[in-house]
Amino acid sequence: MQQIAFVLAAGKGTRMRSEKPKVLHPLLGEPMLGYVLENIEKAAAQEVLLVLGYGRERIMPFYGERATIVIQEEQRGTGHAARVALDYLKHRGDRLEEIEILIVHGDTPLVSSTSLTRLHQAFKQNKSQAALLTAHVERPFGLGRVLRDAEGRVQKIVEEKDATDVERQIKEINVGVYLFEARYLEWALGQLSTDNAQGEYYLTDVIHLILTAGGNVTSVAAVDPDEALSINDRAELAVAEEALRRRILAYHMRQGVTIEMPDTVRIGPYVEIEPDVVIRPGTILMGATRIGKEAVIGPYSELKDVIVGDGALVRQTVAEAARIDDGATIGPFAYLRPGAQIGRGVRIGNFVEVKNSTIGEGSKVPHLAYVGDAIIGREVNMSCGTITVNYDGLEKHTTVIGDRAFIGCNVNLIAPVTIGDGAYVAAGSTIDQPVPRGALAIARARQMNKEDYVEAWLARKKEKRLGQKERVNKGTDFEHTSMDAPSSSSQHKKGTDDAQLS
Ligand code: UD1
Ligand code: CA
């Protein structure tokens, strides 16, 4: 038997009140549809048919390669969506006798692959024609209820809007995950009508139809009731994301990761963390971030697609698409932009920005610097205020700095430029010529001292001011030269002093 999965994702998701199709809304940085597909791929399905309608042009670029796209032009209900997918298989000439169909909704991203596997096992063991995943929930409002007979066998599913008051009391709900023998599904879908409160073809009716045709229906409870969380509006999105966030944190803590103040920490589903890492409060780890053992991340760090080596320390830092090697220390208040490659034991300090640059082992950029498009050797010291001037308004240029070079404070390195191994650049220099290895480059105006200047200058000032006062007292016209010069005479005096000293 071959298994083919149908993922139903054609609806607009009206209650999201969004231009974006519902299934593209993210939980912890990943679209909800991504979770659904990931789980199906982990389970038994050989092929996924993704049923799209509303906003398909926005969904296809993301998932067009992971699934076969089937279009449901008009959204006439979940039963109709399943029918469109099945018709596609028939049209393609697939032999339905040899196929089992897994159906999953695109708006229930918390369903686990373990539950999918259990459902499949029960389906096989009981030689069922249909199987469904259920969950017992505290607030079943809005969901399909599972009706059972006196022996506890599933009878049918009743939608909220079609349910009687007594049926609405039932807390066992239909998750929206099913397995079918394709031939039975085909027959039952052909029997569906729109004779219900919503005037739609309900996939849920298929269960009752298969039972009346003598089919065997199995049900399996989801491993965790949170798996039933479906997303129809933004409030449900927040609830589902919170459940997922806790699930992910619990997983990492079980794997030996310390998470301080877990309520303040967000970790995406694809993040990998080794044992004995400490995640400090307020930290957000997203994308394909990987953290090596005994690293300390946070407090208040935001990392996306960052590879962090063993024992590194990353405090109050924003980093994206960067690499931080073993034992490096970053921050507080550092910004690592895409392509920043920070070598072993490197120190990147406060208010340092690094972009598309390699920094060799043991180098230091301890404070207030911009490093862009640079290749920096080992054990280089870039002092406070070093700037790589990498952009001429049209193109970016490269700065190359050799091993053990020492760049003094407040230096502009106008790229393209090369500083040789072991060279020194004097503080305050603006470098636009290559500096040979071992040389000292000084590129700043020479200092000049005017001996005994200050006293004489002050004396001249005082004399001048006395003269002014006399003129004012005599009623001579006096005009402010500065637009915002204060009107009080004492403040005014101070203002003129400052201006003339600078
Ligand atoms: C559905 C179930 C309900 C179950 C709940 C679980 C039905 C009739 N009801 O209700 O028993 O408890 O899910 O979350 O099935 N879709 C299409 N094409 C359509 C209609 C829907 O692709 O024509 C897709 C939607 O995009 C969505 C999924 O199917 O991803 C579920 O549809 P939705 O309208 O959200 O169903 P519910 O009313 O939530
Ligand atoms: Ca739904």
Side-chain angles (χ1 to χ4, degrees):
M1 271 275 182
Q2 193 198 167
Q3 191 188 87
I4 297 183
F6 296 173
V7 176
L8 311 188
K12 179 171 192 287
T14 311
R15 283 169 284 168
M16 293 299 282
R17 295 189 180 273
S18 175
E19 288 289 304
K20 194 173 13 197
K22 178 164 81 173
V23 293
L24 286 188
H25 280 265
L27 290 83
L28 298 171
E30 303 295 332
M32 65 179 93
L33 189 54
Y35 292 91
V36 174
L37 293 176
E38 168 101 1
N39 277 333
I40 293 173
E41 286 159 6
K42 276 194 212 149
Q46 270 97 27
E47 186 184 3
V48 179
L49 301 194
L50 178 57
V51 182
L52 297 181
Y54 178 83
R56 57 187 181 247
E57 66 292 340
R58 290 183 69 169
I59 301 173
M60 271 148 68
F62 288 99
Y63 299 107
E65 279 177 12
R66 268 167 95 173
T68 307
I69 308 294
V70 177
I71 303 297
Q72 185 195 19
E73 283 296 347
E74 227 187 310
Q75 285 82 58
R76 297 162 71 189
T78 47
H80 182 251
R83 174 92 184 253
V84 168
L86 199 79
D87 284 349
Y88 173 87
L89 291 185
K90 284 202 298 190
H91 191 76
R92 195 167 71 176
D94 287 26
R95 292 169 53 82
L96 295 190
E97 315 64 76
E98 290 160 15
I99 295 175
E100 62 184 45
I101 308 271
L102 168 69
I103 301 188
V104 182
H105 292 178
D107 65 353
T108 51
L110 268 70
V111 169
S112 69
S113 57
T114 315
S115 288
L116 293 183
T117 307
R118 286 194 189 174
L119 186 69
H120 189 233
Q121 282 164 351
F123 178 75
K124 288 271 136 200
Q125 250 162 32
N126 302 339
K127 297 191 169 54
S128 302
Q129 280 67 54
L132 71 149
L133 195 65
T134 75
H136 294 268
V137 299
E138 273 314 303
R139 274 177 285 166
F141 179 77
L143 297 167
R145 309 296 204 282
V146 178
L147 269 56
R148 292 179 182 272
D149 64 16
E151 273 81 56
R153 287 178 301 223
V154 174
Q155 282 183 305
K156 60 169 162 177
I157 299 168
V158 182
E159 292 304 297
E160 172 87 27
K161 287 184 178 143
D162 301 283
T164 64
D165 287 346
V166 175
E167 288 165 346
R168 286 202 184 103
Q169 303 302 311
I170 297 171
K171 291 191 166 175
E172 188 184 12
I173 59 96
N174 167 36
V175 173
V177 175
Y178 319 82
L179 267 168
F180 297 103
E181 275 188 17
R183 283 171 313 156
Y184 274 79
L185 178 65
E186 180 199 23
W187 170 80
L189 288 174
Q191 307 294 308
L192 289 182
S193 82
T194 56
D195 184 15
N196 54 52
Q198 300 181 78
E200 287 183 357
Y201 293 101
Y202 288 170
L203 177 57
T204 46
D205 287 347
V206 158
I207 297 297
H208 184 63
L209 284 163
I210 290 178
L211 282 169
T212 56
N216 168 356
V217 174
T218 298
S219 75
V220 167
V223 181
D224 171 1
D226 280 351
E227 294 184 44
L229 290 171
S230 58
I231 297 166
N232 299 297
D233 59 27
R234 311 254 182 172
E236 289 177 346
L237 178 67
V239 170
E241 192 190 57
E242 179 60 11
L244 184 69
R245 192 185 67 81
R246 284 167 194 262
R247 186 199 276 182
I248 291 171
L249 292 192
Y251 166 80
H252 289 296
M253 291 191 269
R254 278 199 305 276
Q255 301 296 310
V257 176
T258 294
I259 301 181
E260 298 175 356
M261 290 176 75
D263 280 352
T264 67
V265 172
R266 289 161 62 82
I267 298 180
Y270 304 123
V271 173
E272 292 172 24
I273 311 179
E274 287 188 34
D276 286 324
V277 163
V278 178
I279 306 294
R280 309 213 52 211
T283 292
I284 301 172
L285 305 177
M286 290 290 146
T289 292
R290 264 185 8 230
I291 315 284
K293 60 179 188 296
E294 293 180 15
V296 178
I297 313 296
Y300 306 105
S301 288
E302 184 178 351
L303 273 51
K304 182 168 185 241
D305 300 325
V306 178
I307 310 298
V308 180
D310 297 349
L313 173 63
V314 184
R315 292 197 287 159
Q316 282 100 342
T317 287
V318 175
E320 185 173 350
R323 207 194 70 217
I324 298 167
D325 290 347
D326 297 353
T329 68
I330 314 293
F333 313 115
Y335 184 22
L336 305 183
R337 291 169 51 201
Q341 311 221 24
I342 312 299
R344 291 164 74 99
V346 164
R347 177 160 163 232
I348 301 291
N350 47 293
F351 308 108
V352 172
E353 176 177 338
V354 181
K355 184 215 79 169
N356 185 36
S357 295
T358 306
I359 301 187
E361 188 170 337
S363 289
K364 294 191 177 80
V365 193
H367 20 235
L368 295 158
Y370 172 64
V371 181
D373 304 304
I375 301 164
I376 295 172
R378 296 158 160 247
E379 290 164 50
V380 169
N381 196 320
M382 295 182 77
S383 307
C384 182
T386 299
I387 307 283
T388 54
V389 183
N390 61 328
Y391 187 48
D392 60 14
L394 281 177
E395 290 178 306
K396 304 285 166 65
H397 301 282
T398 304
T399 301
V400 179
I401 301 180
D403 297 343
R404 292 172 308 284
F406 184 101
I407 314 297
C409 285
N410 212 29
V411 164
N412 295 314
L413 301 167
I414 301 186
V417 71
T418 301
I419 314 290
D421 289 350
Y424 274 40
V425 174
S429 293
T430 292
I431 300 294
D432 61 358
Q433 302 298 319
V435 179
R437 67 182 347 221
L440 165 68
I442 308 178
R444 63 188 185 214
R446 249 182 204 288
Q447 182 170 332
M448 179 176 70
N449 292 337
K450 299 190 176 180
E451 300 284 342
D452 302 324
Y453 177 88
V454 177
E455 214 169 302
W457 178 81
L458 282 174
R460 279 203 307 279
K461 281 281 116 177
K462 275 183 193 149
E463 226 166 83
K464 204 170 166 190
R465 196 181 298 164
L466 269 175
Q468 264 178 8
K469 260 194 190 147
E470 273 161 24
R471 282 201 300 279
V472 172
N473 289 344
K474 283 179 196 155
T476 320
D477 253 5
F478 184 83
E479 279 181 17
H480 292 301
T481 47
S482 161
M483 277 172 56
D484 53 5
S487 53
S488 115
S489 67
S490 70
Q491 276 178 351
H492 174 246
K493 265 190 278 176
K494 190 165 179 287
T496 38
D497 276 359
D498 288 349
Q500 287 163 353
L501 272 167
S502 62

